[in-house]
Amino acid sequence: MIHQFFVVSKTFTKRAWLAAVLAVCVLVLVPLVFRGLMSIKELGTYGISTDPFQYHFAFLGLSWIFFIAICVHALQGCENIVVRLPVSSTAIFSGLILLTVGLVLILNLVTNGLYRFFFFDQNWLSDYWPLLGPLLFLMTLVLVGQFLFWSRFAPSVTGSLFCISFVAALCWWFASRYFPNGFQKPVAPWNHVTLADWFTLLVVNSVAWYQGTRAFEKVRSGTAVPSPQWSRLRDCWNALLSGTLINRRVEFGSQHRSLVLLHWCDSCRPAVVIGGLYCSVAGVLLSFLLFKLSYLPGGQTAAFWSYIQSISVVTSSLFLLASLLIGFLLGDGIHRPGRIELKRYLSAVPLSDQDFSGILMRNLVKTVCIVWSCLMLGCLLSHIIVIHYFDFTASPLNMLYLEAYVSATSENLVPFLFLSAMILWGVSSTMVSIFWTGRTWFYLMVLSLFGGLCFALILISACIQSEAITGLLYGLTMTLASTILGGTVAAYLVAYRKKLITATGVLMAVLFLLTAVWFCSSLTGDEYHSVFYRIWNSNFFFRALGINSMRFLVFVVLTSLVTPFATIPLAVSWNRHR
């Protein structure tokens, strides 16, 4: 038995050590860079808090996600080994619990120790950074996660609802430890773990261990099967994503039409459902939830404006998330597992590269437009809920809020629509143009260059103390912008020479760039309420660049919106003829 446990531990450690080192480095280096940014005098005027406890929950959320993800990754590598061991299920499951709990315990203590060395003083545990309570709760989450990991082989509707409710109740209990006087009172560190807390966590751990052992026994015996209700629900979900749930006759009039429909059902529809429908619904719910959790009665911010701020934060985050989801789902959707080649229905289609890439591009544009419309509809619904949630006729003050709200909305509506569409299209289309090359080394190279450049910009900007470093950062930024501009021109020339795009497409891009030049030349630093002025005046480096350099950067950003119309045909052609 000891030998088998050693083998499993060795496999578990091999799969976990690299991810564990990377997670600790990210959790430590990112705050170090942020502290470098905090050293800039100008950042102090932005209201950034220097209280470590203000970042405690962000640290807990990120570190727990990293640590639990590492455990899941390591368990997946040991899954085929542990089910075949000639040892009792109870002993195997208990050994896996020791491995996962021991891993998160070591990672948590190492990370907190490094935080103590770099950031905290000798009173960190008693004043602002509780350790014992969150660590015990993390160990409880690991045991519950073990139960959920092995229960996924026999899912059921009632079991899933119970697990969701149970995890939500656990999170509510954990949050209540930081509000000993009620959620309407100020938050306080969880410095003292009471006997009742110990007993609660012990009961939860015991139940999770027992249920996890039973789930693991079912997996080993081969009796872990989904319930009939879950199977029907899964079939309906797959039919919804593929479009076969709609009972209508589809006519494939030509190869062109067939490819359009097949690619839409296979890759685009899941992106619309997940990135558009789900994110829009989540935006309505999360806006109200964030408002209820963040608003404190009697504070400096009125309830109405607190709700509006919640909508702004959630909507901005979901637009970025939806763009990443579209880019990944569409970018990876044309390849077979492993990205070794295109899917069979795509690789065998007898169309030219220009027609083939044109079909994929039209489906991409259609997907982005539908997702953008869904997110706009969700944002509109959130604002309608605001109007009905607050009774504006109750007092003259509420009427003033309504007038200010209408004025601010009408003033920022057009910039919001344009910026949201620009972010959604720019991020998703750029990701798709990278993924559709079909080269893993190309993904990694672009990611490394982009990540290294961003890290260099942050690191250099954190050291702005003289004009020399400001000039270095200026030169680096202008070089990057010129590279993007030159790459766009080169991509259009190469794509046109290879007959991947038509002269009409080139002409449309030129007209768009001429419009962008006119738009950028009209930008001034005198309109104090404009978005451009707020961006230009928000940072010391932007002000040091000057108005003309900022206009050039805006022009480069607008140019990157038409870059995918040349890079995507090149990527598709490169992928087809690898």
Side-chain angles (χ1 to χ4, degrees):
M1 177 178 176
I2 297 177
H3 176 70
Q4 285 87 352
F5 183 75
F6 174 76
V7 172
V8 175
S9 303
K10 184 178 179 180
T11 305
F12 186 89
T13 305
K14 281 185 177 180
R15 289 183 61 88
W17 75 269
L18 180 59
V21 172
L22 292 176
V24 173
C25 290
V26 169
L27 290 172
V28 175
L29 292 179
V30 171
L32 278 176
V33 174
F34 182 72
R35 189 175 67 173
L37 289 173
M38 291 286 290
S39 64
I40 304 177
K41 295 181 180 180
E42 299 255 343
L43 288 178
T45 61
Y46 295 155
I48 299 177
S49 176
T50 57
D51 182 12
F53 184 64
Q54 297 293 328
Y55 308 99
H56 177 66
F57 293 105
F59 166 77
L60 291 182
L62 290 176
S63 62
W64 290 0
I65 291 174
F66 287 161
F67 298 161
I68 293 176
I70 292 170
C71 291
V72 172
H73 173 70
L75 283 175
Q76 288 176 343
C78 304
E79 185 179 321
N80 294 329
I81 299 176
V82 296
V83 295
R84 296 182 175 91
L85 294 178
V87 188
S88 65
S89 299
T90 303
I92 297 175
F93 187 76
S94 301
L96 292 176
I97 286 179
L98 288 177
L99 287 175
T100 51
V101 170
L103 176 64
V104 298
L105 179 65
I106 293 173
L107 293 179
N108 192 277
L109 292 179
V110 168
T111 307
N112 280 278
L114 292 174
Y115 272 45
R116 165 65 180 90
F117 179 77
F118 287 111
F119 306 112
F120 302 150
D121 54 24
Q122 63 272 16
N123 299 322
W124 63 300
L125 291 177
S126 58
D127 291 348
Y128 50 81
W129 201 264
L131 178 61
L132 179 60
L135 183 58
L136 293 175
F137 185 77
L138 176 60
M139 295 168 64
T140 303
L141 284 182
V142 171
L143 266 74
V144 174
Q146 282 271 11
F147 159 65
L148 297 177
F149 180 83
W150 296 107
S151 297
R152 79 185 197 278
F153 293 96
S156 63
V157 177
T158 55
S160 300
L161 293 177
F162 172 77
C163 290
I164 294 174
S165 303
F166 184 71
V167 173
L170 271 181
C171 295
W172 178 88
W173 179 87
F174 174 74
S176 66
R177 302 304 94 188
Y178 288 86
F179 294 89
N181 300 320
F183 286 100
Q184 301 300 328
K185 300 298 181 179
V187 63
W190 185 20
N191 291 326
H192 302 288
V193 182
T194 63
L195 184 61
D197 297 336
W198 281 97
F199 181 75
T200 302
L201 295 176
L202 179 62
V203 171
V204 173
N205 289 333
S206 301
V207 173
W209 174 82
Y210 176 72
Q211 294 295 336
T213 303
R214 290 185 58 191
F216 182 68
E217 287 178 351
K218 291 182 179 180
V219 173
R220 294 190 74 194
S221 61
T223 59
V225 293
S227 66
Q229 296 81 6
W230 181 269
S231 299
R232 288 195 293 269
L233 185 63
R234 182 184 57 192
D235 294 339
C236 292
W237 166 251
N238 293 332
L240 177 64
L241 290 182
S242 62
T244 57
L245 188 63
I246 303 175
N247 187 15
R248 61 183 177 89
R249 184 180 180 86
V250 179
E251 295 292 340
F252 297 98
S254 62
Q255 294 175 346
H256 185 280
R257 177 65 176 168
S258 302
L259 182 59
V260 170
L261 293 177
L262 286 174
H263 179 249
W264 176 261
C265 295
D266 182 54
S267 300
C268 301
R269 190 184 296 271
V272 170
V273 173
I274 298 175
L277 181 61
Y278 283 3
C279 286
S280 60
V281 174
V284 177
L285 299 177
L286 291 178
S287 298
F288 186 76
L289 181 61
L290 180 62
F291 160 68
K292 298 299 289 185
L293 292 177
S294 62
Y295 174 66
L296 295 176
Q300 296 181 354
T301 305
F304 174 76
W305 293 114
S306 180
Y307 200 165
I308 298 300
Q309 291 175 0
S310 300
I311 295 177
S312 302
V313 172
V314 172
T315 303
S316 303
S317 302
L318 287 179
F319 264 103
L320 182 59
L321 176 62
S323 61
L324 294 175
L325 288 174
I326 294 174
F328 179 77
L329 292 175
L330 265 69
D332 203 48
I334 66 172
H335 299 111
R336 299 181 67 182
R339 303 187 187 94
I340 56 176
E341 61 181 352
L342 292 172
K343 290 182 178 179
R344 187 173 300 275
Y345 76 92
L346 292 173
S347 60
V349 61
L351 293 175
S352 64
D353 289 346
Q354 180 180 339
D355 294 336
F356 183 75
S357 60
I359 291 172
L360 301 185
M361 277 294 300
R362 281 189 288 272
N363 277 344
L364 171 62
V365 173
K366 180 180 176 182
T367 301
V368 172
C369 291
I370 294 177
V371 171
W372 182 82
S373 301
C374 291
L375 292 175
M376 285 292 105
L377 185 60
C379 183
L380 177 62
L381 185 59
S382 298
H383 284 273
I384 292 175
I385 292 175
V386 170
I387 296 175
H388 287 278
Y389 184 78
F390 295 97
D391 186 9
F392 291 105
T393 61
S395 64
L397 182 61
N398 286 354
M399 291 299 298
L400 293 177
Y401 287 155
L402 179 60
E403 293 178 0
Y405 165 71
V406 173
S407 176
T409 303
S410 59
E411 181 180 343
N412 297 317
L413 180 60
V414 174
F416 171 72
L417 295 177
F418 177 74
L419 289 175
S420 60
M422 185 177 69
I423 292 173
L424 191 65
W425 167 254
V427 175
S428 59
S429 60
T430 303
M431 288 183 62
V432 165
S433 64
I434 295 173
F435 273 97
W436 279 358
T437 59
R439 267 74 171 179
T440 303
W441 63 266
F442 186 75
Y443 310 158
L444 297 177
M445 183 186 70
V446 172
L447 181 62
S448 301
L449 290 176
F450 181 75
L453 184 61
C454 290
F455 183 77
L457 287 173
I458 293 175
L459 191 62
I460 294 175
S461 63
C463 304
I464 294 179
Q465 302 293 338
S466 64
E467 295 183 358
I469 297 182
T470 305
L472 175 62
L473 192 60
Y474 173 81
L476 185 61
T477 305
M478 291 297 107
T479 301
L480 175 62
S482 302
T483 302
I484 295 175
L485 195 60
T488 301
V489 174
Y492 270 93
L493 291 176
V494 174
Y496 180 71
R497 190 178 71 245
K498 291 186 176 182
K499 297 182 180 180
L500 300 176
I501 56 177
T502 61
T504 304
V506 177
L507 180 61
M508 294 295 292
V510 172
L511 291 177
F512 179 84
L513 293 181
L514 292 177
T515 306
V517 170
W518 169 81
F519 173 76
C520 294
S521 63
S522 65
L523 297 175
T524 63
D526 300 331
E527 299 177 2
Y528 299 103
H529 298 290
S530 64
V531 177
F532 176 75
Y533 177 82
R534 280 179 282 179
I535 296 176
W536 178 55
N537 199 47
S538 64
N539 186 273
F540 167 80
F541 174 66
F542 288 161
R543 294 195 298 272
L545 285 178
I547 189 70
N548 291 326
S549 297
M550 282 298 298
R551 289 171 178 169
F552 178 69
L553 290 180
V554 173
F555 173 72
V556 172
V557 171
L558 294 177
T559 302
S560 64
L561 298 180
V562 297
T563 303
F565 289 98
T567 56
I568 287 180
L570 288 172
V572 172
S573 177
W574 193 21
N575 199 345
R576 294 185 79 191
H577 304 290
R578 65 171 73 189

